[in-house]
């Protein structure tokens, strides 16, 4: 079915669980036509079926952000079915290093962190850009992390000061710079496409292998709190914010 260009069409990567699924749920409930990206189609369909029991209808696309063929195929499917995209939410992310020192964390581990959090995000963005350019206005929202903030990492008062996940933090910091560069490029080219980075805060999901209950006991916030700023940005059609890094509380230092 071909959609009209008036409908807000939103793609969420890593949409089958955690914050991605909540973003899918809330944006669908607000009337956006949401495409749930999932690297495992069965898991994606199960998530969509779960939403359907709440009366929410979403599309599902197979999308492994670290597999270039999968990303190309997903872009082709969206091109054939819709011909445009209004909102891209680069949510898929993972951490592969836990406490290894900067002096000896392996390059192999660093490559895994960068594979999903940096190169995967960029591959999806570049392949979806032609579709975003077809929408009257569009936005790219990159789910980053305060863990990628060098300002916070150097601030003894910050929770990030004690954190050691060199690969994950470096990849999120690099994704932040990509956010800034792409935002400036879109502006220079006078395209109505904004690009922003989000820090969800510490959120009770299965991220990093913990259970949501374990994360909660360490002070993690509910998922709805973690996605609030993303939902605000994804539904703000003034489309003024560009090249920002923010969380639900306000701006975050790069
Ligand atoms: N939770 C936090 O405290 C926190 C804090 C700051 C930032 N973040 C960021 O927030 C985002 C969402 O995190 P979350 O807490 O919701 O994590 P999560 O519960 O672990 O969910 C991660 C999602 O990413 C998907 N994914 C993993 N590898 C993928 C790949 N190669 N291609 C496509 N999808 C892939 C997972 O799919 P599978 O089910 O197939 O594994 C899952 O849907 C991430 O970018 C994370 O870095 C999280």
């Amino acid at each position: 079915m071909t959609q009209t260009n008036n409908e807000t069409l939103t793609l969420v990567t890593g949409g089958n669980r955690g914050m991605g699924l909540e973003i899918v749920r809330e944006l669908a409930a607000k009337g956006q036509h949401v495409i749930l990206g999932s690297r495992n189609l069965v898991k994606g369909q199960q998530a969509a079926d779960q939403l359907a029991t709440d009366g929410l209808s979403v599309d599902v696309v197979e999308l492994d952000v670290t597999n270039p063929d999968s990303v190309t195929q997903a872009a082709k499917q969206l091109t054939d079915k819709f011909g445009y995209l209004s909102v891209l939410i680069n949510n898929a992310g993972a951490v592969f290093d836990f406490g290894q020192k900067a002096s000896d964390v392996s390059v192999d581990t660093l490559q895994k962190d960068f594979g999903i959090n940096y190169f995967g995000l960029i591959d999806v963005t570049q392949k979806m850009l032609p579709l975003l350019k077809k929408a009257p206005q569009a936005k790219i929202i990159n789910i980053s992390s305060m863990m990628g903030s060098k300002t916070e990492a150097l601030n003894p008062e910050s929770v990030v000061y004690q954190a050691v996940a060199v690969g994950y933090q470096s990849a999120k910091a690099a994704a932040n710079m990509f956010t800034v560069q792409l935002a400036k490029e879109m502006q220079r080219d006078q395209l109505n496409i904004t690009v922003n980075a989000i820090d969800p805060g510490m959120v009770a999901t299965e991220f990093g292998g913990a259970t949501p209950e374990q994360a909660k006991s360490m002070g993690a916030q509910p998922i709805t709190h973690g996605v609030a700023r993303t939902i605000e940005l994804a539904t703000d059609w003034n489309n003024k914010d560009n090249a920002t890094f923010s969380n639900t509380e306000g701006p975050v230092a790069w």
Side-chain angles (χ1 to χ4, degrees), residues 12 35 39 44 99 105 147 160 169 171 179 187 216:
V12 183
I35 301 145
R39 63 175 164 165
V105 61
M147 293 277 277
V160 182
Q169 292 180 273
T179 302
Q187 204 165 37
K216 234 174 262 168

Side-chain angles (χ1 to χ4, degrees), residues 13-21 23 36-40 43 63-67 70 90-96 115-117 120-121 124 142-147 168 172 198-210 215 220-221 223 227:
T13 68
N16 58 291
R17 65 182 168 96
M19 278 188 270
L21 179 56
I23 292 165
L36 185 162
S38 177
R39 63 175 164 165
N40 179 313
K43 284 190 193 171
L63 178 49
D64 180 340
V65 306
T66 60
N67 177 342
S70 168
N90 283 311
N91 165 77
V95 55
F96 294 92
I116 179 165
N117 297 296
L121 176 148
V124 173
N142 294 328
I143 308 301
S144 176
S145 172
M146 194 184 270
M147 293 277 277
Y168 176 71
K172 290 295 193 187
I198 295 282
D199 161 48
M202 193 179 161
V203 183
T205 63
E206 293 167 329
F207 188 76
Q221 299 283 337
I223 292 188
V227 305

Side-chain angles (χ1 to χ4, degrees), residues 23-89:
I23 292 165
V24 170
R25 178 197 308 280
E26 293 192 27
L27 293 180
K30 286 177 185 294
Q32 295 192 6
H33 185 138
V34 184
I35 301 145
L36 185 162
S38 177
R39 63 175 164 165
N40 179 313
L41 204 49
V42 174
K43 284 190 193 171
Q45 197 51 58
Q46 283 167 350
D49 292 346
Q50 185 190 324
L51 294 174
T53 62
D54 297 333
L56 298 171
S57 167
V58 302
D59 280 8
V60 180
V61 70
E62 187 173 333
L63 178 49
D64 180 340
V65 306
T66 60
N67 177 342
D69 291 340
S70 168
V71 181
T72 301
Q73 267 308 111
K76 187 177 178 320
Q77 279 183 43
L78 298 199
T79 304
D80 293 347
K81 191 166 183 189
F82 305 106
Y84 75 102
L85 183 65
S86 321
V87 183
L88 167 62
I89 303 183

Side-chain angles (χ1 to χ4, degrees), residues 97-114:
D97 62 321
F98 302 93
Q100 287 108 315
K101 288 183 283 186
S103 55
D104 63 13
V105 61
S106 75
V107 169
D108 182 50
T109 301
L110 298 178
Q111 277 169 343
K112 286 188 186 132
D113 281 310
F114 271 78

